[in-house]
Amino acid sequence: MSQMTEAQKLFEEASGALNDAGNPRVKQLILRILQDTARLIEDMNVTPDEFWKAVDYLNRLGARQEAGLVVAGLGIEHYLDLLLDAQDAAAGIGGGTPRTIEGPLYVAGAPLSEGEARMDDGKDPGTVMFLSGRVFDPQGKPLAGAVVDLWHANTNGTYSYFDSTQSEFNLRRRIVTDAEGRYKARSIVPSGYGCPPDGPTQELLNQLGRHGQRPAHIHFFISAPGHRHLTTQINLAGDQYLWDDFAYATRDGLIGEVRFVEDAAAAKARGVEGRFAEIEFDFQLQQAVNADAEDRGNRPRALQEA
């Protein structure tokens, strides 16, 4: 049926392919989506009841703002990373810190600091964490002036902006690396999180027999002039979901080793009391190939300008 002339004309008309207005690329994509949807309905014998249940699901997904969770949970966002990796390999581009998913919880415009920053507002009783590392170019030379844009969850597994109980930009900072390419941040050890149990993402995962849990992790955008933007994250070693991340974000080379320190003298030297944690993680950027390559395949989505 979908291949019949009448159906094809319907989809061409609906997608705007028969007029000269609008956006040609959007038209091309919508036409393909309509054609493939029709084939899916035919091949899988989708009933009207199943179709309208799917429409209702999309409505509820949008109302809960969980589309970003679904694309991560179904592996689509990780697939984009695999696709970009394959494109890089075909082009002879290699090396550098691996990319991995951005996720749906980035907020643009976090406070900018030189060299180091405190990320938490002091209200969360979590374990103090000292995070540090360096940013290098492809030859291993430290990159001064690189911007490390990082964000993570609190001990309840929630993020500022999306969690109204947290202060503005809590656990979100941008740090400019010093002359040695180093960045330093004081924060708290984040917790992992699960999809809202009453939400449409977990509803779908239940139908698939899957959980919706993520390990504790820290997100990063790393950028520097003349280098490709890096979107990545480190998942923390020791978490039970480290290699069972529902979002498929854990990759070799992106495991953050956490060292917990109990020594009182060391804590005093750090200006804290009691047990604290240390994580050190370095990043290596790839060289920009041309004017567009700096962000190609890794450009961040500035979802919100807070």
Side-chain angles (χ1 to χ4, degrees), residues 11 15 26-40:
F11 297 145
S15 67
V26 173
K27 293 181 179 185
Q28 182 183 38
L29 291 169
I30 292 299
L31 178 59
R32 178 62 181 270
I33 290 170
L34 292 174
Q35 292 170 335
D36 287 354
T37 300
R39 292 191 188 100
L40 172 65

Side-chain angles (χ1 to χ4, degrees), residues 22-235:
N23 185 305
R25 177 61 172 169
V26 173
K27 293 181 179 185
Q28 182 183 38
L29 291 169
I30 292 299
L31 178 59
R32 178 62 181 270
I33 290 170
L34 292 174
Q35 292 170 335
D36 287 354
T37 300
R39 292 191 188 100
L40 172 65
I41 290 172
E42 292 178 25
D43 292 346
M44 299 298 294
N45 294 315
V46 175
T47 67
D49 183 58
E50 289 173 328
F51 175 83
W52 287 110
K53 282 183 178 179
V55 172
D56 175 68
Y57 180 82
L58 292 176
N59 284 334
R60 291 186 288 111
L61 189 71
R64 289 289 293 260
Q65 297 185 330
E66 289 192 15
L69 284 177
V70 163
V71 297
L74 293 180
I76 299 172
E77 194 172 5
H78 179 57
Y79 165 75
L80 293 177
D81 288 334
L82 297 179
L83 180 63
L84 291 168
D85 289 347
Q87 291 173 351
D88 283 351
I93 301 172
T97 301
R99 60 166 61 89
T100 195
I101 71 169
E102 175 186 330
L105 301 172
Y106 174 69
V107 176
L112 183 68
S113 301
E114 296 287 337
E116 59 184 297
R118 178 164 178 172
M119 298 180 64
D120 68 298
D121 59 12
K123 297 177 181 179
D124 194 312
T127 302
V128 174
M129 174 182 71
F130 292 99
L131 172 66
S132 64
R134 302 174 78 183
V135 179
F136 297 94
D137 70 8
Q139 291 72 45
K141 179 182 177 181
L143 274 172
V147 177
V148 179
D149 192 343
L150 65 161
W151 68 101
H152 65 77
N154 65 6
T155 56
N156 291 322
T158 60
Y159 289 76
S160 61
Y161 185 90
F162 302 93
D163 173 9
S164 62
T165 67
Q166 295 186 49
S167 60
E168 185 179 37
F169 292 116
N170 187 44
L171 307 176
R172 300 177 185 273
R173 290 294 184 274
R174 290 177 296 155
I175 303 172
V176 180
T177 58
D178 65 17
E180 297 179 343
R182 183 170 292 279
Y183 70 93
K184 297 179 182 179
R186 172 178 167 171
S187 193
I188 55 172
V189 177
S191 293
Y193 67 83
C195 295
D198 63 339
T201 301
Q202 190 59 57
E203 175 187 333
L204 177 59
L205 292 173
N206 289 341
Q207 293 290 319
L208 304 179
R210 295 180 49 209
H211 70 74
Q213 300 296 315
R214 292 221 59 203
H217 58 280
I218 304 170
H219 293 269
F220 293 87
F221 288 156
I222 314 291
S223 58
H227 296 79
R228 298 179 72 186
H229 175 95
L230 173 65
T231 298
T232 194
Q233 62 183 268
I234 57 174
N235 285 1

Side-chain angles (χ1 to χ4, degrees), residues 244-259:
D244 190 21
D245 181 356
F246 101 97
Y248 305 101
T250 307
R251 308 190 75 177
D252 289 332
L254 294 177
I255 310 301
E257 297 291 339
V258 186
R259 186 170 77 95

